[in-house]
Amino acid sequence: MQARFVYTPDFEGKIETALSKERLDTYRELLSDGTKFIDIISVYNANTAISEALVGSTQIMEISVRNSIHRQIQKSYGSEWYIGNTLKLDNNGKRHVERLTKKYKNVQKFNTPNTLSTKIISELTLGFWSHLFMRRYEDPLWRKTLRFAFPHVGGALTRGQVYQLLDKFRRLRNRISHHEQILKYDLDVYYNNIIDLVSWVSPVTAIWLSHHNRFYEVRDQYKSLL
């Protein structure tokens, strides 16, 4: 068992200087006025641990969803759909694809259509994939292609619902990547939505993810602080 860390006034000041008062203030806002430094830094540590626990599930969700989207796009537009802007992407999406195509098309290890496609798909951001569910792509991309990326949804699903979920996770992941406070969100809802999205693509993968993910375990560990 890890020994208890002892905070002295000097330690507290130096830690706050290193992390910045402005960053710790976002945790002070979650607590009552006059809260001691040890309580603030404990909540900070809880945020770090819960963020780490969520990273794995967001990764599995992103990989599962993007691969399913890619498979459906391939069926409608071919394996080299990223060439020639066949999806009629907006300028931002087109720029992302063109940048990656230019970067890797002359690299020896990606000199086949399959290896190049795999590399490009793996590096397109969650922002790119979520933007494919914007209103401008309702017809024909959503109606004829993307709605089939979620074969196990078990009910009605709209393009807008998918966009809202993916964009929500994009913002959450960005906050985690920038080491920001996420405890103000209802993280149980976020986690359950992640499992939902994965299950819509692959129920077995969702079961596997639920079994191995430590989100609830870590959340419960720090529940008394939150």
Side-chain angles (χ1 to χ4, degrees), residues 15 31 52 66 89 99 116 119 140 150 175 201-202 215:
I15 293 171
L31 303 170
E52 290 172 351
R66 83 178 181 207
L89 300 171
R99 177 180 62 81
L116 179 59
K119 184 61 176 175
F150 307 97
R175 289 191 69 84
V201 172
S202 170
F215 168 72

Side-chain angles (χ1 to χ4, degrees), residues 6-208:
V6 178
Y7 292 93
T8 66
D10 182 56
F11 275 18
E12 292 177 3
K14 287 179 178 177
I15 293 171
E16 179 145 350
T17 297
L19 299 178
S20 85
K21 178 180 182 302
E22 291 75 18
R23 182 170 294 273
L24 290 184
D25 279 347
T26 66
Y27 298 88
R28 287 189 177 93
E29 293 169 359
L30 300 176
L31 303 170
S32 58
D33 292 341
T35 302
K36 294 180 180 179
F37 181 85
I38 189 172
D39 296 317
I40 297 166
I41 204 66
S42 294
V43 174
Y44 182 92
N45 289 337
N47 186 81
T48 300
I50 293 172
S51 294
E52 290 172 351
L54 279 170
V55 165
S57 58
T58 56
Q59 287 176 344
I60 298 303
M61 180 276 295
E62 180 177 355
I63 293 169
S64 301
V65 170
R66 83 178 181 207
N67 287 345
S68 188
I69 293 170
H70 174 54
R71 286 192 293 271
Q72 294 305 319
I73 291 176
Q74 278 186 310
K75 289 179 181 178
S76 297
Y77 296 91
S79 60
E80 295 181 273
W81 59 263
Y82 52 88
I83 297 175
N85 196 23
T86 57
L87 301 188
K88 295 182 172 53
L89 300 171
D90 61 19
N91 289 336
N92 192 47
K94 181 181 177 183
R95 185 165 57 249
H96 277 302
V97 172
E98 289 178 343
R99 177 180 62 81
L100 291 173
T101 304
K102 182 178 180 180
K103 180 178 179 180
Y104 293 114
K105 68 178 181 179
N106 294 319
V107 177
Q108 180 64 29
K109 65 187 296 186
F110 306 121
N111 65 353
T112 68
N114 184 57
T115 55
L116 179 59
S117 173
T118 299
K119 184 61 176 175
I120 290 172
I121 299 315
S122 70
E123 292 205 12
L124 285 169
T125 66
L126 184 57
F128 173 86
W129 299 112
S130 66
H131 274 65
L132 294 183
F133 295 90
M134 293 178 69
R135 186 188 302 275
R136 64 177 290 147
Y137 300 116
E138 176 81 30
D139 190 20
L141 199 52
W142 166 256
R143 295 183 185 277
K144 296 183 179 179
T145 301
L146 294 186
R147 66 189 183 92
F148 299 110
F150 307 97
H152 302 284
V153 68
L157 181 68
T158 68
R159 171 203 53 76
Q161 288 172 321
V162 177
Y163 175 74
Q164 288 178 353
L165 285 173
L166 291 180
D167 192 58
K168 181 171 76 170
F169 296 132
R170 178 189 62 80
R171 288 182 274 116
L172 177 68
R173 197 188 65 173
N174 286 348
R175 289 191 69 84
I176 292 174
S177 298
H178 291 95
H179 323 299
E180 295 180 7
Q181 189 256 105
I182 64 169
L183 299 177
K184 65 181 180 181
Y185 299 116
D186 189 337
L187 297 177
D188 282 14
V189 171
Y190 274 72
Y191 178 73
N192 289 329
N193 286 161
I194 288 171
I195 298 300
D196 286 341
L197 264 173
V198 176
S199 71
W200 296 345
V201 172
S202 170
V204 171
T205 304
I207 293 170
W208 166 76

Side-chain angles (χ1 to χ4, degrees), residues 210-225:
S210 298
H211 178 79
H212 291 283
N213 192 266
R214 297 180 61 246
F215 168 72
Y216 284 128
E217 177 186 342
V218 175
R219 182 211 58 184
D220 289 346
Q221 180 183 347
Y222 292 100
K223 206 164 188 176
S224 62
L225 298 174

